[in-house]
């Protein structure tokens, strides 16, 4: 191939991320070099969704039957046996494997099959695509033209690698966006740019610390009970940092099986362990240039803690089964509801890692310690519930707010959002059934609560009141929880929810079997 033509091809490889754009620019150039060339196609192997996709510029109906076909696991394995040293013309039928002949006949009209040149495209020693040159009918193919076609293998392999990496990035971006939307729905928010309720009241000190540390790259450890909003604070740190335009990746360390934690965090090479059928990019690489939020850091196995410590020290790591070190630029934010200091004493968490990640701790107060935020939060969640369930907006009354403020909120903000959702559904757009949603469904019970509020000398903790009332209902049902006439039905709650609350309150339903409440 002419040296200038080859330089032009490599320049176009560097210029384009999508293979179709590369083909559009390069096809006229190659046609000048190979006068008998009709077209160049790429068959891209997509292992994730198991399809073989045809990319052709222009895509002509006179030669093509399909633009994609389904791939089986056997077909993928067979394609991996197609050596990059092989360059086959369909006309030489004795050279082409049967599975390739079947693939080609699925894409091309039979009249074109004798004029197809095939060579595999390899990325990291894996066959990821097939380069197909279509020669004009009745053309004589010289050895010189064959050599020219073979020269295209390397630049086209690099162009395909760029194309696949862009697709992977787009897939990751979509997955991150889906996770973000899911979290926003759970929180009843439209965006993470919305004001955090309580930032000037109950969370004022927290937000001051967020603004203080956001612009640095110091590791941050967020401490707080379940449901206090640790991920929101992590995202606020990212948003106010110099990395705001980069990715923020959230990983729940407690949700990953211990044997897969290394693979998920640091990635793995193909064949590094049983089931590693292809290379996997880990969370650290995906978060490069941005923030990695490791939630439930206390659940991280000790062997993974060692590797995490190394990354925090110099930014280098290796994929599982890999031999070459990889460098990343990641800001680490961690969170836990565990007592890490106690885990260190129990030798379940490395002391050196603890000191490294806790350089700048941020402690989130539980909702019961910031009850001044409950009225605004309740109104906010009421608006979001109405929007989510297509109901008229109904705000909590003063009595509702009083009931909400008396509750201890073991599930914190997340539980408050769920209670408001439940009360909106029960009220059906006419009112918020706060009392019912909290388990105060009986009229006598509500009156008792109101009387308790009116008489300070008789005020009792809401948990204690709930315990007494559940015991009263259990006595009426002789300890029956499920089914018609059971305690759950009378209280208007799910039986599993009731059992969980009884365990929390220390109620033994068996003691109420055939026992009358006195």
């Amino acid at each position: 191939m002419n040296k200038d033509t080859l330089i032009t091809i490599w320049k176009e490889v560097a210029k384009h991320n999508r293979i179709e754009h590369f083909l559009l620019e390069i096809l006229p150039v190659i046609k000048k070099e190979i006068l008998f060339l009709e077209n160049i196609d790429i068959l891209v192997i997509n292992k994730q969704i198991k399809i073989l996709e045809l990319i052709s510029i222009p895509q002509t109906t006179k030669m093509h039957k399909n633009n994609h076909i389904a791939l089986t696991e056997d077909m993928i394995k067979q394609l991996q046996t197609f050596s990059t040293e092989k360059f086959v013309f369909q006309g030489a039928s004795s050279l082409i494997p049967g599975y390739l002949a079947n693939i080609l006949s699925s894409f091309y009209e039979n009249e074109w099959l004798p004029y197809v040149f095939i060579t595999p495209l390899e990325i990291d020693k894996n066959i990821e695509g097939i380069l197909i040159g279509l020669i004009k009918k009745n053309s004589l193919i010289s050895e010189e033209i064959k050599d020219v076609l073979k020269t295209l293998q390397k630049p086209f392999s690099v162009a395909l690698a760029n194309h696949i990496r862009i697709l992977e990035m787009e897939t990751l971006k979509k997955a991150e966006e889906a996770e973000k939307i899911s979290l926003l729905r759970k929180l009843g928010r439209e965006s993470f740019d919305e004001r955090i309720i309580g930032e000037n009241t109950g969370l004022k000190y927290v937000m001051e610390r967020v603004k203080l540390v956001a612009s640095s790259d110091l590791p941050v450890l967020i401490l707080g009970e379940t449901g206090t909003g640790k991920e929101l604070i992590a995202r606020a740190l990212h948003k106010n940092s110099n990395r705001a335009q980069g990715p923020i990746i959230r990983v729940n360390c407690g949700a990953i099986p211990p044997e897969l934690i290394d693979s998920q965090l640091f990635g793995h090479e193909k064949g590094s362990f049983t089931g590693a059928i292809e290379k996997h990019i880990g969370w650290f690489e995906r978060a490069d240039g941005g923030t990695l939020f490791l939630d439930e850091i206390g659940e991280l196995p000790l062997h993974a803690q060692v590797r995490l410590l190394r990354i925090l020290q110099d930014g280098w790591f290796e994929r599982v089964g890999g031999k070459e070190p990889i460098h990343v630029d990641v800001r680490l934010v961690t969170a836990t509801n565990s007592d890490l200091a106690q885990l260190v004493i129990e030798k379940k968490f490395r002391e050196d890692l603890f000191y490294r990640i806790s350089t700048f701790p941020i402690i989130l107060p539980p909702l019961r310690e910031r009850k001044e935020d409950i009225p605004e939060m309740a109104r906010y969640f009421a608006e979001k519930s109405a929007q989510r369930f297509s109901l008229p907006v109904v705000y909590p009354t003063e009595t509702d707010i009083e009931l909400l403020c008396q509750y201890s909120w073991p599930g914190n903000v997340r539980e408050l959002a769920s209670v408001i959702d439940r009360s909106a559904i029960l009220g059906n757009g006419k009112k918020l059934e706060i009392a019912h949603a909290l388990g105060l469904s009986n009229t006598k019970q509500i009156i008792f609560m109101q009387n308790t509020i009116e008489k300070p000398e008789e005020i009792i903790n809401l948990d204690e009141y709930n315990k007494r009332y559940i015991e009263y209902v259990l006595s009426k049902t002789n300890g029956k929880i499920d089914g018609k006439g059971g305690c759950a039905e009378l209280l208007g709650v799910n039986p599993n929810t009731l059992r969980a609350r009884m365990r929390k309150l220390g109620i033994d339903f068996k003691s109420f079997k055939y026992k009358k409440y006195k």
Side-chain angles (χ1 to χ4, degrees), residues 170-416:
E170 289 177 353
T171 301
L172 289 172
K173 187 175 180 181
K174 288 177 181 177
E176 184 185 355
E177 190 63 27
E179 183 181 353
K180 177 180 171 182
I181 291 171
S182 175
L183 176 63
L184 287 170
R185 284 175 178 167
K186 289 178 183 176
L187 296 172
R189 303 174 73 91
E190 294 179 359
S191 77
F192 287 108
D193 294 332
E194 291 183 55
R195 180 176 65 85
I196 295 177
I197 296 174
E199 62 183 354
N200 295 317
T201 49
L203 290 179
K204 184 177 181 180
Y205 178 68
V206 169
M207 298 311 296
E208 286 175 352
R209 288 183 65 80
V210 166
K211 291 172 185 176
L212 186 64
V213 75
S215 59
S216 76
D217 274 343
L218 282 176
V220 175
L221 173 62
I222 304 172
L223 301 166
E225 296 178 4
T226 299
T228 48
K230 293 187 286 293
E231 183 167 353
L232 275 180
I233 299 304
R235 291 185 178 274
L237 282 164
H238 177 75
K239 176 189 168 186
N240 289 282
S241 74
N242 299 326
R243 301 169 177 270
Q245 299 306 313
I248 174 169
I249 303 294
R250 183 249 184 184
V251 181
N252 186 337
C253 299
I256 306 173
E259 63 272 15
L260 295 179
I261 194 76
D262 273 2
S263 170
Q264 293 299 308
L265 286 177
F266 313 114
H268 65 251
E269 298 292 347
K270 179 183 177 182
S272 57
F273 55 86
T274 303
I277 59 174
E278 58 185 71
K279 182 178 70 176
H280 172 72
I281 304 299
W283 294 114
F284 268 97
E285 283 184 82
R286 298 180 184 190
D288 192 19
T291 302
L292 180 62
F293 173 47
L294 296 183
D295 200 2
E296 305 297 347
I297 186 69
E299 303 292 329
L300 198 66
L302 286 169
H303 69 271
Q305 293 178 29
V306 176
R307 299 190 66 181
L308 177 58
L309 186 62
R310 181 190 169 188
I311 296 179
L312 289 174
Q313 288 170 341
D314 55 24
W316 290 92
F317 71 97
E318 293 177 1
R319 296 192 193 111
V320 177
K323 297 180 180 178
E324 295 187 10
I326 299 168
H327 187 269
V328 290
D329 176 24
V330 172
R331 200 266 182 87
L332 187 70
V333 177
T334 56
T336 184
N337 57 12
S338 302
D339 185 347
L340 286 187
Q342 182 60 36
L343 292 179
V344 169
I345 294 173
E346 296 172 2
K347 305 297 183 184
K348 295 179 180 178
F349 200 85
R350 291 183 63 94
E351 185 176 9
D352 46 5
L353 179 59
F354 171 68
Y355 288 124
R356 178 72 69 167
I357 66 174
S358 61
T359 305
F360 197 95
I362 295 178
I363 302 174
L364 283 181
L367 187 56
R368 62 182 172 275
E369 293 180 9
R370 46 181 288 228
K371 291 192 174 182
E372 66 271 27
D373 297 330
I374 288 179
E376 185 179 1
M377 294 177 79
R379 287 189 283 270
Y380 175 84
F381 287 129
E383 291 175 355
K384 297 305 175 184
S385 297
Q387 181 181 354
R388 186 180 301 113
F389 305 127
S390 301
L391 296 169
V393 178
V394 180
Y395 293 102
T397 64
E398 289 187 13
T399 301
D400 292 335
I401 296 296
E402 287 176 343
L403 292 175
L404 292 172
C405 287
Q406 287 188 61
Y407 187 59
S408 59
W409 299 111
N412 292 290
V413 179
R414 190 177 297 140
E415 185 181 10
L416 174 59

Side-chain angles (χ1 to χ4, degrees), residues 41 43 52 54 63-66 69 75 79 82 88-91 96-119 130-134:
D41 294 345
L43 291 177
L52 188 62
L54 172 71
M63 61 178 67
H64 297 130
K65 291 180 181 179
N66 297 302
I69 62 169
M75 291 172 70
L79 286 170
F82 187 16
V88 180
F89 276 96
Q90 173 67 18
I96 187 167
Y99 69 88
L100 271 180
N102 291 334
I103 287 173
L104 291 174
S105 63
S106 298
F107 283 104
Y108 297 99
E109 298 292 346
N110 291 337
E111 59 186 287
W112 282 97
L113 292 180
Y115 307 100
V116 174
F117 166 84
I118 317 155
T119 184
I130 300 173
L131 171 65
I132 299 178
L134 289 133

